[in-house]
Amino acid sequence: NAGVTQTPKFRILKIGQSMTLQCTQDMNHNYMYWYRQDPGMGLKLIYYSVGAGITDKGEVPNGYNVSRSTTEDFPLRLELAAPSQTSVYFCASRLDSPLHFGNGTRLTVT
Amino acid sequence: DAKTTQPPSMDCAEGRAANLPCNHSTISGNEYVYWYRQIHSQGPQYIIHGLKNNETNEMASLIITEDRKSSTLILPHATLRDTAVYYCIVRVYGGGRRALTFGSGTRLQVQP
């Protein structure tokens, strides 16, 4: 199993640009999550999904959108990038326990 | 999920055991203790979890006190690669649809 795969690893965006952070898992996990981690800080939940077709907001959803059309994929969309969205983004998945994380996407918005 | 308290930082000499404490005095009877760690710039990594019995796997041991109000994660022979932030989390197994909440954790620095 590849586990949780995130692409791209790094990205620089200009203010106002849009992009999609990709996340895919090959473990047939129902639950998937997007977290962001600002420098020196803890992880904050952006969105999560309990299965295909079902998504819900987390702690910091503003400026982001998600979709879950398949069990495997959970992309995170940034529509109008802002400097406050500069962060490292982690995708995670689980069946019951524990949580499996990807290696993150480091995003800089300038 | 029950609240946990961890020291903000600890040092350990390479080759020695690293003992990371966690207090969770409000833990409920059906809540497990989970440990994760985050090595610099990487995604958090699951280490171990337990309910009330001590647990051991290839990475670490978890010692839970009899009253379950505190626990200790033991890395028996710490290496430089164990330098990371360690998170103690208490929650019901699986936890339903809710996501894990990561606190500040303990920053373990393994010294050569």
Side-chain angles (χ1 to χ4, degrees):
Chain A
N1 288 348
V4 179
T5 303
Q6 292 184 238
T7 56
K9 288 185 169 54
F10 304 94
R11 184 71 186 270
I12 298 174
L13 280 183
K14 294 190 184 304
I15 295 171
Q17 287 185 321
S18 62
M19 78 164 292
T20 299
L21 284 67
Q22 302 291 346
C23 175
T24 187
Q25 52 91 9
D26 61 357
M27 298 172 283
N28 203 31
H29 286 172
N30 293 340
Y31 298 92
M32 295 189 74
Y33 305 88
W34 275 105
Y35 290 88
R36 61 175 284 176
Q37 186 173 36
D38 298 335
M41 306 295 286
L43 289 96
K44 294 184 178 179
L45 181 67
I46 307 172
Y47 269 96
Y48 67 98
S49 169
V50 301
I54 306 169
T55 62
D56 211 344
K57 296 178 181 179
E59 184 184 356
V60 290
N62 290 345
Y64 306 95
N65 278 302
V66 293
S67 60
R68 185 92 182 272
S69 56
T70 66
T71 299
E72 295 78 18
D73 300 308
F74 190 40
L76 178 72
R77 178 84 177 162
L78 283 72
E79 290 294 349
L80 291 170
S84 60
Q85 293 176 307
T86 293
S87 191
V88 181
Y89 292 83
F90 291 105
C91 179
S93 74
R94 67 176 177 90
L95 188 57
D96 290 322
S97 281
L99 205 55
H100 298 258
F101 282 84
N103 282 327
T105 294
R106 187 176 297 275
L107 176 67
T108 302
V109 182
T110 61
Chain B
D1 300 341
K3 179 179 167 55
T4 63
T5 304
Q6 299 177 253
S9 63
M10 294 181 64
D11 287 342
C12 176
E14 190 177 18
R16 304 294 295 267
N19 298 289
L20 292 92
C22 180
N23 286 325
H24 32 79
S25 58
T26 61
I27 191 170
S28 300
N30 62 345
E31 288 182 313
Y32 285 69
V33 180
Y34 289 83
W35 283 85
Y36 287 76
R37 72 179 181 184
Q38 187 174 22
I39 297 170
H40 181 62
S41 298
Q42 297 181 20
Q45 176 190 24
Y46 163 78
I47 302 173
I48 198 167
H49 74 278
L51 182 63
K52 53 185 176 182
N53 297 322
N54 298 337
E55 302 287 344
T56 296
N57 63 19
E58 65 278 5
M59 291 181 67
S61 294
L62 173 60
I63 308 298
I64 303 173
T65 58
E66 192 167 342
D67 64 7
R68 302 209 321 124
K69 293 185 177 182
S70 65
S71 60
T72 301
L73 179 75
I74 301 172
L75 308 177
H77 306 286
T79 71
L80 297 178
R81 287 175 294 180
D82 292 321
T83 292
V85 178
Y86 287 78
Y87 298 98
C88 170
I89 300 167
V90 171
R91 68 177 303 173
V92 174
Y93 185 81
R97 60 192 298 146
R98 291 180 297 115
L100 277 180
T101 300
F102 289 79
S104 303
T106 296
R107 185 172 299 276
L108 175 69
Q109 181 70 49
V110 180
Q111 306 284 358

